[in-house]
Structures are given as structure tokens and as C-alpha cells.
Amino acid sequence: MAISSLVRPCLFQYIGTVPRLVARCQKNPRSIWNRSAALSRIEKKATVPLKTCLLFPSLQWSISNITKRNLHTSQLHLQEVMLTCERYGVERLPFACISDSDLNFFEHLLPGRVITDAEELKSFNVDWLKSVRGCSTLLLKPRTTMEVSQILKYCNEKNLAVNPQGGNTGLVGGSVPVFDEIILSTGLMNQIISFDHISGILVCQAGCILENLNQYLEPKGFVMPLDLGAKGSCHIGGNVATNAGGLRLLRYGSLRGTVLGLEVVLADGSILNCLASLRKDNTGYDLKQLFIGSEGTLGMVTAVSILCPRKPNAVNLAFLACPSFSQVLKTFIICKDMLGEILSAYEFMDNGCMKLVERHLKLTNPVAESPFYVLIETSGSNSIHDEEKLSHFLEHVMDSDLVVDGTLASEGKKIKALWALRERITEALTCDGVVYKYDISLPVEKLYDLVTDMKVRLDTAAKNVVGYGHLGDGNLHLNVTAESYSHSLLDAIEPYVYEWVSQYYGSISAEHGLGFKKKHYIHYSKPKEAVLLMQQFKVMLDPKGILNPYKTLPSKAVR
């Protein structure tokens, strides 16, 4: 297809301002190097004015889908998914089965909020990747911490297993039952308790949707410290329970630093109220850290106190094309050096990912096709200052031939449209067939070597092998797709991929957790002494093992 045929009525229109970039962009009509009117003094120096128009029809369409992506109602769930216990050969632990008297108790406690309809339960029994499925016959929807306490107290006494569930956006099978565990949903626990506009500390119930919290905060001049592709569906309690990372970790750090306090209901119904709103509290053990990342196996998070940063006044997004991964790394080094305090995200994706979002989601690549793409976000308080720094950075990486093409955005809808190319990769992968997902941490210089190795190892056994992730914090998302589930393909991937990661002292789970799928591989990242201590914590806090059984920890000691 001729390049000229891609230039249509304008959605993104920018004025080029740097002479050298103008010259380069004119060679490729698909490129757009943005400068706002704030850089008028630089514009005056431009020898040739540039105004390039480009239409992203599918990106424009996708904006409404990014912010309100309801993962529960995805049509992916319309397909029948094999039961987890059958696919993986799991034996049910000796928990009690739900009786009529149990149902009577719950219906009295939660009138109108006890779900037993099989059709309604389907989406709560299946994960979003349609890779695991439980057979729960009961869904409970409490509104208060006290109701959660009464439910868990009763379940503990009756030896009924419970599966805590937030937005069900997890990717390792941790959010859905394995057998007939009672699903305990935080869907109705969606109230904001308080917000301090001086300190920026938000206290809310665990069922608040991440994007809704952000929408609440933005008019007040604040934002949530984490951002995920599933923000339109995921719950803050689930984010905490899985220690979700996401797109803002480079700037604001992990939830282990921004979560100030938690309210947690333990297996016996006891309420642990550590819902502190203090930046500094050095009295005894920091108990909240036990529950952050515990995936609902030690207690159920019912409320969260979290520190929210100020909303940046100026946000810019650069989407760049790089000819090799080594140049992606070199660009990152220069990016940290030249952008410094305004750098808020540095994401990468390979061309395989781009082809998937183009093919399955009909999104459009805004730059020339390249082996790798980088998405850089800057966030600051002064647009002129930020744009000057970004301008110097872009000119430098272009002069160094680290970047061969790029496009910029500084307006909200256009920024969301570019983010869609990165955020919707997971969605595109699910359209490509069965997905084998690996969320790992590695030394940054080794990050893509694993993808290259897996392509050679799997060859034609896999449909696609792609890599993308948060390069700024050394997190790779390795994904393998196939037309259908295959034990032989899984055996070719695991445990090889975990052995590879362990060889370079990486982590087999950077941000998704272990859930059901990866619990038996924990020893590749943790010594046996650490796993034993975790198991002892589990026994102490949940002696009967009713909380999210079959998840996170191996049932037997690691040798």
C-alpha cells in the first residue's frame, strides 16, 4: 500500500518546530512530531513549516473502549471453557458442600444479593483469558465489612471454601474458583470513605473500580498512583491483593509504597483494622505488607488507604520506532538522563504485538513498520519546560539513529488513542487463540533475549511468540499463542521458561501474582526457607485453608 493512501482527513494535526525533525518527517508523511503553541519561540526558528495530517480511524473508535472495558461481559466468555480440575487433574480438598441451611443463612444475611442462577454465575466462574473455569453454584455480594466478617465466620465454622473476587481481571487463574468455592464478590463494596485534599490520602472500599477512583480524583487535582489496561473493570482491592504494577510504577513506585493502610477480614471473621492514613508509622511490624500481594489467601481486603499524587498539568506521549532492542535500551538510558523527573512511563512492544492489534482490533500503526516500538510518557507541572526537554531528547535520539520514526500527542483523546496500541495487546492476544502468558522480571539487558530464545525453541509449534512490557522497571510480558490448548506445547514452555528466568536471577511473576497456574514454580524465585515461612503464615492465619484454596502456594513443602 502506498504511503500516500494512508494520509486521510486529519485526526491528529501537529505543527513541526525543530528544523532537523521537519526535514526527516517530510521524508515520511506518516510521521508526526508534535509541538504545542507554547514553543512559539522554537517555531520561529523552523526553516520549513510542517503540518502533517493523519487519520487513525480505528484508534479514534477505540477511545470509548479503553476507558470502559467491561471484562465480565466479554464475548470471549460465550465459548465453553474446560473445567480447571479436569484440565489440570486437581483433586478437591475435603471442604463441605453448600446445603440448604447454608443458603438460608446467606439469604437472611444478604437479602437479594445471593446469586444461584447458573447463567448469571458463568462469567464469575471463568477468567477473562478463558483459560480456567470453576463450578461454583453460589455468589455472594456483601456491601459492608461487617457482612464480609459474618460470611467468613460462618464459612470457617462450616468448613466452606471461599473465593474472593474483585473485577476478575487476573491473568493467572487466581480470581476464579477451581471447584465449587463460594464466590465472595466486592462488586457492591464501592464507596469512597474519605479524601484529604491536603495530603492526597484516599480511603475507599475494596470494590471501587480503579478508573472510577481516577475520575473522582482528577477534578480535585489528583490521580491514582497506578494505571492498568483493565482499569475500567479492576477493583482497587484486587489491585492490592495482587500487588498490581502497571504503567505508572516507574514514576510513583509500587503499591507496597503507596498503600498506607488496609482493612482486612481474616478467615475466622476477625476484622483487622490497620486503615492508617499516616505517611510515617513505625510502631511494630508493618502487617499490611503481609496482605499486599497475598492474592486473597491470608485475608480479604475490604478497604484501602492509599497515597495519591498530584495530577500533572502537562502530559506528553511519544510513540517511537526503533530498529533493534539494543537501540531501545540505549534510548532508555538517554531518556532517563535527558527527561529525568518528568519521565512517567517507558513501555516497549515488538512488531509481533503491533501486527496483532492491527489484525484483530483494526488499530493503525501511526509510524513506519519497525522491529520495536517505544512509548514514552512525560508528566510535569510546566508544559513549556516539559516540551523543551522532550524536543531536545527527540532531536538527540534521531541524530543518533536510535529512533527512525515517531509520533507525538499532548491532548487527552489522542494520548488515549496512542496508549491503546500498548494497553490493548492483551485483548488482541486473546483473539489470536489460546494464550500462554508469562509475566517476568529480568535484568533489563536480558529482557528480550528470552523472547528470541522462545521463538527458536517453539518454532512452528506456536502460532505467535511476542514480547512487550514495562522496560522502565524490567518487566517483560512474554506471550505464546496457539490455535488450541496443547499439553505438548505447554511442556515445551514450562518449566524451561522458569529455568531460564532463574538462571539470570529474575522473578517468574513480576506483577500478575502466582494464582493457580504458577504456584508450583515459586521455588524458581524463592528459596525453600522463604516458601516454608509463607506456608506457616498461611496455616496461622487460615488454619482450615478456606481462603482461595489451590492458589499462590504449593500444597506440599518445597524440597
Side-chain angles (χ1 to χ4, degrees):
M1 181 183 293
I3 291 177
S4 59
S5 67
L6 297 176
V7 181
R8 299 187 178 93
C10 187
L11 169 64
F12 293 169
Q13 180 171 314
Y14 297 118
I15 298 177
T17 58
V18 181
R20 192 167 184 87
L21 295 181
V22 167
R24 293 192 180 215
C25 290
Q26 286 176 328
K27 295 177 182 178
N28 184 353
R30 303 177 71 205
S31 300
I32 311 164
W33 289 105
N34 168 37
R35 293 294 168 268
S36 73
L39 292 179
S40 57
R41 65 183 181 83
I42 298 179
E43 287 175 3
K44 292 177 182 178
K45 297 180 181 179
T47 57
V48 182
L50 172 67
K51 186 179 288 187
T52 305
C53 295
L54 178 64
L55 176 66
F56 295 89
S58 51
L59 286 185
Q60 189 176 31
W61 171 87
S62 72
I63 291 170
S64 62
N65 293 277
I66 301 167
T67 56
K68 282 293 179 184
R69 195 177 68 186
N70 190 332
L71 301 186
H72 265 314
T73 58
S74 169
Q75 290 197 4
L76 297 173
H77 290 304
L78 298 179
Q79 303 177 29
E80 189 67 17
V81 179
M82 189 175 181
L83 286 169
T84 304
C85 57
E86 294 178 0
R87 171 174 285 179
Y88 294 95
V90 186
E91 291 187 12
R92 188 181 185 276
L93 294 175
F95 296 112
C97 296
I98 299 167
S99 66
D100 289 341
S101 61
D102 297 330
L103 286 175
N104 290 335
F105 173 83
F106 294 129
E107 286 170 351
H108 178 74
L109 178 65
L110 308 172
R113 291 176 281 139
V114 176
I115 310 300
T116 57
D117 178 72
E119 195 63 32
E120 192 171 350
L121 282 163
K122 276 186 178 180
S123 62
F124 295 91
N125 268 308
V126 182
D127 72 326
W128 184 63
L129 289 174
K130 65 180 191 306
S131 62
V132 288
R133 178 167 70 95
C135 49
S136 176
T137 58
L138 181 61
L139 167 68
L140 304 179
K141 294 185 174 183
R143 285 198 179 101
T144 67
T145 299
M146 187 54 66
E147 288 177 345
V148 174
S149 173
Q150 291 176 277
I151 291 168
L152 289 185
K153 183 176 186 294
Y154 181 88
C155 289
N156 193 57
E157 291 172 352
K158 299 292 185 179
N159 197 33
L160 292 166
V162 176
N163 184 101
Q165 188 178 97
N168 195 14
T169 61
L171 300 173
V172 288
S175 61
V176 294
V178 174
F179 289 96
D180 58 345
E181 300 90 81
I182 296 170
I183 301 173
L184 188 51
S185 170
T186 58
L188 298 182
M189 302 183 69
N190 56 7
Q191 300 300 304
I192 292 172
I193 299 169
S194 66
F195 177 69
D196 187 325
H197 70 279
I198 298 175
S199 65
I201 296 172
L202 173 75
V203 181
C204 65
Q205 286 186 300
C208 290
I209 293 173
L210 179 59
E211 185 180 41
N212 292 350
L213 292 176
N214 221 47
Q215 291 174 347
Y216 169 82
L217 290 169
E218 284 190 352
K220 303 177 187 299
F222 291 83
V223 294
M224 289 296 288
L226 74 159
D227 186 23
L228 308 172
K231 55 182 170 281
S233 301
C234 65
H235 296 184
I236 187 63
N239 298 151
V240 170
T242 57
N243 190 26
L247 307 168
R248 291 177 178 167
L249 191 140
L250 179 64
R251 178 67 173 269
Y252 301 122
S254 76
L255 288 173
R256 293 197 180 278
T258 55
V259 170
L260 302 179
L262 294 176
E263 180 184 71
V264 181
V265 180
L266 304 181
D268 64 358
S270 302
I271 300 173
L272 179 64
N273 189 344
C274 292
L275 206 58
S277 295
L278 302 171
R279 294 286 300 275
K280 301 178 76 173
D281 180 6
N282 203 19
T283 52
Y285 302 127
D286 190 3
L287 294 179
K288 70 175 182 291
Q289 298 296 346
L290 265 181
F291 302 97
I292 298 174
S294 67
E295 303 183 77
T297 61
L298 299 181
M300 181 162 173
V301 175
T302 53
V304 178
S305 172
I306 189 166
L307 181 65
C308 303
R310 293 289 301 186
K311 178 183 177 182
N313 294 327
V315 177
N316 294 283
L317 203 68
F319 193 85
L320 312 176
C322 293
S324 71
F325 190 71
S326 65
Q327 286 162 311
V328 170
L329 294 177
K330 291 174 183 176
T331 302
F332 179 51
I333 294 170
I334 296 170
C335 185
K336 288 195 295 181
D337 183 46
M338 297 188 70
L339 298 182
E341 78 287 351
I342 66 170
L343 178 62
S344 54
Y346 192 97
E347 304 285 310
F348 89 96
M349 56 191 280
D350 62 19
N351 195 41
C353 293
M354 179 63 78
K355 288 180 178 178
L356 287 173
V357 297
E358 286 180 311
R359 181 185 313 131
H360 297 300
L361 306 181
K362 308 306 178 187
L363 302 187
T364 302
N365 184 353
V367 297
E369 185 173 348
S370 187
F372 293 93
Y373 305 93
V374 170
L375 191 151
I376 299 170
E377 183 186 75
T378 65
S379 304
S381 58
N382 187 307
S383 59
I384 296 176
H385 168 266
D386 294 358
E387 287 167 351
E388 276 192 353
K389 294 188 79 165
L390 191 56
S391 171
H392 293 319
F393 161 73
L394 293 172
E395 192 167 13
H396 180 79
V397 293
M398 289 288 286
D399 285 343
S400 304
D401 292 323
L402 297 176
V403 170
V404 295
D405 198 10
T407 181
L408 295 175
S410 58
E411 192 273 324
K413 287 185 178 180
K414 298 166 187 175
I415 286 174
K416 287 180 179 178
L418 284 178
W419 265 117
L421 291 165
R422 164 62 181 85
E423 288 186 324
R424 298 185 69 191
I425 294 173
T426 298
E427 184 181 348
L429 283 161
T430 61
C431 298
D432 202 52
V434 172
V435 188
Y436 302 81
K437 300 187 73 68
Y438 300 91
D439 157 55
I440 58 182
S441 289
L442 282 166
V444 177
E445 67 275 8
K446 289 290 181 183
L447 211 57
Y448 201 75
D449 289 354
L450 177 57
V451 183
T452 304
D453 194 0
M454 291 303 292
K455 286 180 179 180
V456 174
R457 178 178 175 83
L458 300 179
D459 196 24
T460 58
K463 185 177 179 182
N464 280 294
V465 179
V466 300
Y468 66 97
H470 319 292
L471 191 135
D473 41 80
N475 183 185
L476 169 70
H477 295 307
L478 167 69
N479 288 262
V480 178
T481 66
E483 292 292 351
S484 60
Y485 177 80
S486 165
H487 273 299
S488 61
L489 178 56
L490 183 62
D491 289 342
I493 301 171
E494 301 176 8
Y496 178 82
V497 68
Y498 302 128
E499 293 168 348
W500 201 102
V501 170
S502 180
Q503 177 185 354
Y504 295 101
Y505 304 99
S507 170
I508 67 165
S509 177
E511 60 181 4
H512 293 168
L514 296 170
F516 170 79
K517 295 180 181 179
K518 299 184 179 181
K519 65 174 185 175
H520 291 299
Y521 301 107
I522 188 173
H523 60 280
Y524 286 104
S525 293
K526 291 290 187 290
K528 63 181 181 181
E529 294 82 5
V531 177
L532 177 60
L533 188 58
M534 293 179 200
Q535 291 170 327
Q536 291 170 344
F537 280 133
K538 171 69 174 176
V539 171
M540 179 181 70
L541 293 173
D542 182 17
K544 294 185 177 181
I546 67 165
L547 287 175
N548 220 10
Y550 320 102
K551 316 285 178 57
T552 306
L553 296 177
S555 54
K556 297 179 180 179
V558 176
R559 295 183 180 180

